[in-house]
């Protein structure tokens, strides 16, 4: 099938089964397409309808199924994993990518908003791993989406920064706990990436998109990233090329943290 990046072999994940949460748009969508292009059967989970992504994958010759689910729900997370195993017979790769951002300070964010960010960004990772790890009977790779703001602070995004820092360190703890089972756990930490979520940040801050995008490009490489570039890093962590990596926080940000 068509390869979104044009840089890989088409066989990196041959005969593998992968789950991608937050797969209907942005980085999740690009990763689901790339995983399928590299041979994986993909379960595309999202609170939104992921049917379009599945149709794209199938039209290009790949295998995929859409699951509408709220990853902050224990029942829904169990259902995602059950569908993967019942549909494709195994689970080898989990990409915990679903996430939200609220651009608020501590004085602006409500307690309910704080809890929602933590539920989607942090609780979901725990829940998906709780059900995915026992299903990874052949070992596997778990990749969690952190952020540059999980490794340093940022303005007007208190809950997001806290949640992504939690994801980065939870990744390390998971890596320690499950290495003996042959399961690797790493985080990918993007900088600003041109996705619907980035555009939503501009709206939340009431900034014009052109100015916001220009500010996002203020890094050594002089531009924001693309979803496909982040997906390529996720593919690296999912496949055998990263076989000696676990507990790592891979930064993909055009030099922003540097």
């Amino acid at each position: 099938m068509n390869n979104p990046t044009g840089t890989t072999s088409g066989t990196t994940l041959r005969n593998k089964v992968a789950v991608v949460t937050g797969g209907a748009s942005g980085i999740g969508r690009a990763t689901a397409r790339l995983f399928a292009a590299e041979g994986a059967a993909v379960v595309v989970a999202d609170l939104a309808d992921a049917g379009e992504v599945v149709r794209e994958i199938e039209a290009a010759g790949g295998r995929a199924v859409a699951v509408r689910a709220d990853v902050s729900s224990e029942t829904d997370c169990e259902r995602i994993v059950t569908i993967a195993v019942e549909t494709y017979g195994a689970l080898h790769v989990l990409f915990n990518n679903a996430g939200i951002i609220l651009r608020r300070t501590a004085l602006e964010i409500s307690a309910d908003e704080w809890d929602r960010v933590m539920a989607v960004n942090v609780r979901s990772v725990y829940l998906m791993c709780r059900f995915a790890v026992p299903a990874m009977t052949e070992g596997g790779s778990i990749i969690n989406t952190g952020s540059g703001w999980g490794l340093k602070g940022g303005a007007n995004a208190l809950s997001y920064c806290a949640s992504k820092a939690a994801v980065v360190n939870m990744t390390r703890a998971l890596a320690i706990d499950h290495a003996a089972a042959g399961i690797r756990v790493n985080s990918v930490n993007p900088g600003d990436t041109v996705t619907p979520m980035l555009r939503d940040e501009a709206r939340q801050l009431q900034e014009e998109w052109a100015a916001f995008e220009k500010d996002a490009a203020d890094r050594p490489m002089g531009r924001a990233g693309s979803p496909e570039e982040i997906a390529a890093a996720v593919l690296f962590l999912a496949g055998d090329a990263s076989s000696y990596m676990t507990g790592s926080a891979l930064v993909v940000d055009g030099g922003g943290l540097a």
Side-chain angles (χ1 to χ4, degrees), residues 123-160:
R123 173 182 164 92
S124 68
V125 175
Y126 146 66
L127 287 173
M128 287 302 303
C129 289
R130 178 181 176 186
F131 296 112
V133 166
M136 290 180 164
T137 56
E138 302 170 22
S141 177
I142 297 172
I143 306 99
N144 301 321
T145 298
S147 169
W149 278 358
L151 300 168
K152 72 166 196 173
N156 302 310
L158 178 73
S159 60
Y160 184 79

Side-chain angles (χ1 to χ4, degrees), residues 82-240:
T82 298
I83 288 172
V85 174
E86 290 184 349
T87 304
Y88 298 117
L91 179 60
H92 306 97
V93 178
L94 168 62
F95 181 32
N96 283 313
N97 174 68
I100 58 174
I101 186 169
L102 293 178
R103 297 300 302 266
R104 312 267 203 281
T105 68
L107 304 183
E108 296 163 345
I109 191 168
S110 70
D112 285 345
E113 289 173 330
W114 172 276
D115 289 345
R116 180 59 180 161
V117 172
M118 292 298 164
V120 176
N121 293 5
V122 183
R123 173 182 164 92
S124 68
V125 175
Y126 146 66
L127 287 173
M128 287 302 303
C129 289
R130 178 181 176 186
F131 296 112
V133 166
M136 290 180 164
T137 56
E138 302 170 22
S141 177
I142 297 172
I143 306 99
N144 301 321
T145 298
S147 169
W149 278 358
L151 300 168
K152 72 166 196 173
N156 302 310
L158 178 73
S159 60
Y160 184 79
C161 293
S163 69
K164 291 304 183 179
V167 169
V168 170
N169 213 35
M170 179 165 36
T171 296
R172 298 181 180 119
L174 287 162
I176 294 167
D177 287 343
H178 303 296
I183 297 171
R184 300 183 298 108
V185 191
N186 294 287
S187 66
V188 62
N189 295 273
D192 287 336
T193 306
V194 182
T195 64
M197 191 166 84
L198 192 68
R199 290 181 179 274
D200 184 59
E201 288 185 63
R203 286 192 291 270
Q204 289 184 46
L205 295 170
Q206 299 183 332
E207 294 185 15
E208 293 293 331
W209 170 246
F212 191 83
E213 186 178 26
K214 182 178 179 181
D215 185 62
D218 185 18
R219 58 194 65 240
M221 290 187 71
R223 62 178 178 83
S226 72
E228 290 75 18
E229 288 173 311
I230 311 305
V234 178
L235 177 66
F236 166 70
L237 293 174
D240 290 342

